[in-house]
Amino acid sequence: MHKDAYQVILDGVKGGAKEKRLAAQFIPKFFKHFPELADSAINAQLDLCEDEDVSIRRQAIKELPQFATGDNLPRVADILTQLLQSDDSAEFNLVNNALLSIFKMDAKGTLGGLFSQILQGEDIVRERAIKFLSTKLKTLPEEVMTKEVEEFILTESKKVLEDVTGEEFNLFMKILSGLKSLQTVSGRQQLVELVAEQADLEQTFNPSDPDCVDRLQQCTRQAVPLFSKNVHSTKFVTYFCEHVLPNLSSLTTSVEGLDIQLEVLKLLAEMSSFCGDMEKLESNLKKLFDKLLEYMPLPPEEAENGENAGNEEPKLQFSHVECLLYSFHQLGRKLPDFLTAKLNAEKLKDFKIRLQYFARGLQVYIRQLRLALQGKTGEALKTEENKIKVVALKITNNINVLIKDLFHIPPSYKSTITLSWKPVQKADASQKRASEDTTSSSPPKKVSAGPKRDARQIYNPPSGKYSSNLGSFSYEQRGGFRGGRGRGWGGRGNRSRGRIY
């Protein structure tokens, strides 16, 4: 075919529907024979990709990978990335398939096109390009996802992470944590450093700024699965002890229905197991201890006739205490003489009284819960009410084990427990009943009426019959953060608008 004949085909894009259909097939077919007309050919095909006739658009998009040769490939990848904004599902699928096929020709070139649009394209294109990476990269074979390609993804991702929304950050963590080269200890360490940078742990913490609190909470949630005995959580635990715990009561969040105080305490508890050597261990342990005391009330004053002088018993917040006690127990192992050598005798005596009072309340609720769950198995345990009771029993049993350790003389830090919201191998009621209702390390069992229920608490055991008084205990304690991620950490500057083919 001669050059002028090919030019006639290119001009066909200005003709009627039939000419356009023929052009959509023949422009790519003879493209490789006319390198000097490459730009004109790609532009002509591009016009067809934007045609009003959906069948012409689909045909033109389907053929785009044929233009992805040599230096043209990044440009084709860039064009296809922009075409991800299509709302026609068949067209959208064709774009996805075309991107995947050029990925197999040249992964780095294709990624170059995707990342240039993520960094500079319109919001809808950016959003869909990130989604494409988060869903499709893991489907590509190893010969495509080489170490060099993975390094390129990490380098480009770091550029994007300088300015992201919360939701985008979560997607990038999903992309990066799926890379084979980051599955190693040093890879996970790199990811933790990325998260720490995103969390801005050098910045002054502002508890009254929901954006600041949400950012820290989301980033820490991403970091938690990366911690291990080799990848330490020390930096995060230190930040939580020094900046977050002292401001716990004033934390604010933009996420409706999220108990941000409990969420933060749960994150601290999960991280505390993997904390390495801490510089200011004693001072941070003191901050943790002081916060724990706030949730461990003294017994109400008793009048001469033995009745309560006050109107009501203090409220026992079991979910919060489980987190704080566990964190204290984990960090306490690193300074086992904290309670005996670092506290004065009066403080230690006060703490023991609080522990005893809490332990007495615990025994009552553990017995009530066991009684309520007695004989129930299988389907019976799956009702919402019984699920709540099973979790409540886990919480109270955990606290019981930790309190018994601290009652030892000297205090012991040897017991291990599974936090109530973490999966266990088997959690049926018979096992729960099998763990004995031990009271040996607790003071006498006599206890007055249980604490009054407060609708805002996560778990406030009932004061009389069990039954419906469990309504306020949230069984799915972790699932609250699913909307409005990262509101605020997003104004991504004035990126260029409009197509930039």
Side-chain angles (χ1 to χ4, degrees):
M1 185 190 276
H2 294 291
K3 184 176 169 183
D4 52 353
Y6 191 60
Q7 186 63 55
V8 171
I9 295 172
L10 296 183
D11 293 339
V13 302
K14 300 184 185 92
K18 282 183 182 174
E19 288 86 352
K20 288 177 180 176
R21 278 197 191 92
L22 287 170
Q25 289 174 43
F26 288 118
I27 293 173
K29 189 172 183 182
F30 299 108
F31 173 72
K32 61 184 175 195
H33 301 296
F34 301 98
E36 70 276 24
L37 290 175
D39 273 355
S40 303
I42 291 173
N43 287 333
Q45 192 78 4
L46 205 49
D47 286 343
L48 297 173
C49 289
E50 294 184 309
D51 198 81
E52 287 176 5
D53 184 330
V54 68
S55 63
I56 291 171
R57 286 205 308 272
R58 288 176 187 171
Q59 176 71 41
I61 290 167
K62 191 178 172 187
E63 303 296 345
L64 269 178
Q66 293 197 51
F67 295 86
T69 54
D71 293 343
N72 295 317
L73 188 135
R75 187 180 172 200
V76 172
D78 195 288
I79 291 164
L80 282 167
T81 306
Q82 291 181 63
L83 290 169
L84 284 169
Q85 66 190 297
S86 171
D87 290 323
D88 176 276
S89 60
E91 207 172 298
F92 181 74
N93 289 336
L94 283 170
V95 175
N96 271 275
N97 293 336
L99 272 170
L100 286 171
S101 70
I102 67 167
F103 232 112
K104 287 163 190 171
M105 298 178 206
D106 177 1
K108 266 178 83 174
T110 308
L111 285 162
L114 280 155
F115 274 104
S116 82
Q117 283 300 317
I118 289 170
L119 286 163
Q120 296 163 335
E122 294 183 55
D123 284 351
I124 179 74
V125 174
R126 175 184 172 101
E127 183 190 315
R128 291 191 180 176
I130 294 172
K131 204 158 251 179
F132 175 88
L133 290 175
S134 72
T135 54
K136 304 295 182 189
L137 285 184
K138 59 188 176 204
T139 67
L140 293 165
E142 274 186 38
E143 58 266 26
V144 174
M145 294 295 286
T146 60
K147 190 168 187 289
E148 190 188 356
V149 168
E150 291 197 347
E151 279 170 5
F152 182 76
I153 292 169
L154 179 60
T155 305
E156 293 301 301
S157 296
K158 283 178 179 176
K159 293 177 194 169
V160 181
L161 287 172
E162 287 172 19
D163 193 6
V164 284
T165 66
E167 189 172 359
E168 289 170 345
F169 172 67
N170 290 332
L171 285 171
F172 267 100
M173 286 308 295
K174 183 180 166 191
I175 292 164
L176 295 174
S177 53
L179 299 179
K180 196 178 175 188
S181 57
L182 293 178
Q183 306 293 327
T184 59
V185 168
S186 65
R188 284 203 309 276
Q189 190 61 58
Q190 271 192 79
L191 288 175
V192 166
E193 280 156 23
L194 262 183
V195 179
E197 213 171 286
Q198 195 67 38
D200 212 352
L201 298 182
E202 309 304 321
Q203 174 200 332
T204 312
F205 183 65
N206 181 359
S208 58
D209 176 5
D211 199 40
C212 179
V213 176
D214 290 346
R215 176 190 282 259
L216 179 67
Q217 185 256 325
Q218 286 180 50
C219 289
T220 310
R221 173 57 60 217
Q222 289 291 339
V224 164
L226 301 168
F227 297 132
S228 66
K229 63 179 194 292
N230 299 314
V231 180
H232 292 156
S233 59
T234 319
K235 197 171 184 179
F236 281 84
V237 173
T238 301
Y239 190 83
F240 271 55
C241 288
E242 290 179 358
H243 302 283
V244 184
L245 282 182
N247 293 300
L248 192 67
S249 58
S250 47
L251 294 183
T252 49
T253 177
S254 62
V255 186
E256 210 177 317
L258 180 72
D259 182 338
I260 190 64
Q261 293 182 29
L262 180 61
E263 185 66 15
V264 158
L265 291 178
K266 285 163 80 172
L267 289 169
L268 175 60
E270 287 185 60
M271 293 190 293
S272 63
S273 330
F274 302 114
C275 186
D277 295 335
M278 191 184 273
E279 266 181 50
K280 300 174 184 169
L281 178 59
E282 187 182 330
S283 117
N284 286 330
L285 205 49
K286 175 81 168 60
K287 288 186 174 78
L288 191 49
F289 177 76
D290 289 344
K291 188 53 66 177
L292 175 60
L293 286 189
E294 287 179 29
Y295 287 87
M296 304 280 289
L298 282 164
E301 292 295 325
E302 299 213 328
E304 284 176 24
N305 61 3
E307 293 295 318
N308 282 350
N311 291 331
E312 60 175 70
E313 297 250 338
K315 294 178 177 66
L316 307 182
Q317 291 177 274
F318 289 88
S319 298
H320 297 67
V321 168
E322 179 194 16
C323 299
L324 284 162
L325 256 183
Y326 182 82
S327 304
F328 179 76
H329 193 262
Q330 291 294 315
L331 295 187
R333 288 176 180 173
K334 299 176 180 300
L335 194 64
D337 66 347
F338 174 81
L339 288 173
T340 49
K342 310 293 180 188
L343 289 184
N344 63 42
E346 207 49 48
K347 266 252 175 180
L348 182 59
K349 184 183 172 191
D350 170 83
F351 183 51
K352 284 283 175 83
I353 291 169
R354 291 169 190 266
L355 281 179
Q356 285 178 345
Y357 176 65
F358 211 95
R360 270 162 44 193
L362 266 182
Q363 297 309 323
V364 173
Y365 305 127
I366 289 174
R367 280 200 298 277
Q368 287 183 347
L369 286 161
R370 287 202 176 124
L371 202 60
L373 291 168
Q374 202 161 2
K376 291 186 172 67
T377 54
E379 289 304 308
L381 285 175
K382 290 180 185 169
T383 67
E384 207 51 43
E385 191 179 349
N386 284 334
K387 276 181 181 179
I388 287 165
K389 289 173 185 172
V390 168
V391 177
L393 188 57
K394 281 186 201 172
I395 294 173
T396 46
N397 274 331
N398 280 346
I399 298 172
N400 198 34
V401 169
L402 297 173
I403 285 180
K404 281 171 66 179
D405 251 18
L406 297 179
F407 266 136
H408 278 279
I409 300 174
S412 161
Y413 297 92
K414 288 180 183 165
S415 294
T416 56
I417 61 162
T418 302
L419 289 161
S420 62
W421 61 91
K422 303 292 280 180
V424 285
Q425 284 180 322
K426 205 169 184 183
D428 65 21
S430 59
Q431 281 185 312
K432 296 294 174 195
R433 287 196 307 276
S435 66
E436 279 188 41
D437 180 11
T438 45
T439 53
S440 55
S441 62
S442 309
K445 295 182 199 172
K446 182 190 164 216
V447 70
S448 51
K452 297 278 189 293
R453 184 170 169 272
D454 171 353
R456 288 168 303 155
Q457 307 308 341
I458 294 298
Y459 174 53
N460 288 301
S463 52
K465 276 189 166 179
Y466 214 80
S467 64
S468 62
N469 281 1
L470 266 163
S472 65
F473 181 84
S474 160
Y475 171 63
E476 291 292 346
Q477 293 170 62
R478 162 96 56 84
F481 202 89
R482 283 291 172 271
R485 295 213 159 182
R487 170 209 139 280
W489 29 311
R492 292 190 304 268
N494 296 316
R495 298 197 324 282
S496 63
R497 288 288 176 270
R499 304 176 90 122
I500 49 165
Y501 292 124

